[in-house]
Amino acid sequence: RISAGRRFRHIAMPEVDTLKISNDDAAFILGKNGKTKEKIARVSGADLDLFEHSLTLEIRGTDEERRRAKKYVECVMAQRVGPVHIEETQEDDDLTVIQVPTEAVGFVTGSQGNFLRQVEEEWGTLMFFADFRGRGSGREVSALG
């Protein structure tokens, strides 16, 4: 029984986007000990739930958080099969690009990507090498978040 004078607060549930993914992508998105999934969630602000039995990824959050999380997930999945391609026309405020001379790529990457992972952790970003359509040759590090 509810008394007439009692007030209830409406709690809005965040919107959910669901992505179907492959088994290989699921492993890549999860990462070692779940670190990649945690990193995407931290950088995007969204909550991510990976259901390995149904190969679905649920992304919860605001429109902006979900948009960023989907973009970051797509970049991580692209890394698994080849270079990440980013359209230069994307006008996101969460992208920083650093041009890296070819002779410095190994230094910037570090042993098994450890230097990039260390920078990601320290600065709360998601970093990877990307090819930008519409630009000249050379490698560029992208920092998202």
Side-chain angles (χ1 to χ4, degrees):
R1 189 171 171 176
I2 301 172
S3 66
R6 202 164 174 189
R7 292 182 180 217
F8 290 94
R9 205 172 54 168
H10 176 70
I11 299 173
M13 297 300 290
E15 295 285 324
V16 178
D17 289 341
T18 303
L19 301 176
K20 289 294 287 178
I21 56 176
S22 72
N23 196 39
D24 290 335
D25 284 336
F28 215 69
I29 291 166
L30 187 59
K32 185 176 181 180
N33 299 319
K35 288 193 177 211
T36 303
K37 182 179 79 96
E38 290 172 7
K39 185 176 10 177
I40 293 169
R42 183 181 67 246
V43 174
S44 68
D47 291 320
L48 278 69
D49 288 313
L50 179 61
F51 300 97
E52 294 179 77
H53 64 280
S54 61
L55 294 175
T56 57
L57 179 69
E58 288 185 357
I59 303 171
R60 287 181 178 74
T62 65
D63 289 345
E64 182 65 19
E65 290 167 345
R66 292 190 329 273
R67 184 190 64 75
R68 286 184 181 201
K70 283 190 282 189
K71 178 173 67 174
Y72 303 163
V73 164
E74 289 169 1
C75 288
V76 167
M77 290 188 307
Q79 280 184 299
R80 186 178 67 76
V81 294
V84 177
H85 296 284
I86 297 178
E87 296 289 337
E88 191 171 14
T89 59
Q90 290 179 346
E91 296 181 19
D92 292 325
D93 62 351
D94 64 338
L95 174 65
T96 301
V97 179
I98 304 162
Q99 292 186 340
V100 178
T102 304
E103 60 272 9
V105 168
F107 175 77
V108 171
T109 304
S111 176
Q112 298 179 350
N114 287 332
F115 181 72
L116 283 182
R117 303 298 79 87
Q118 189 176 10
V119 173
E120 286 177 333
E121 189 67 31
E122 184 173 337
W123 292 97
T125 63
L126 184 64
M127 299 180 74
F128 50 86
F129 281 94
D131 293 333
F132 285 81
R133 295 182 179 135
R135 290 196 182 190
S137 61
R139 299 295 311 257
E140 295 175 308
V141 171
S142 299
L144 292 166

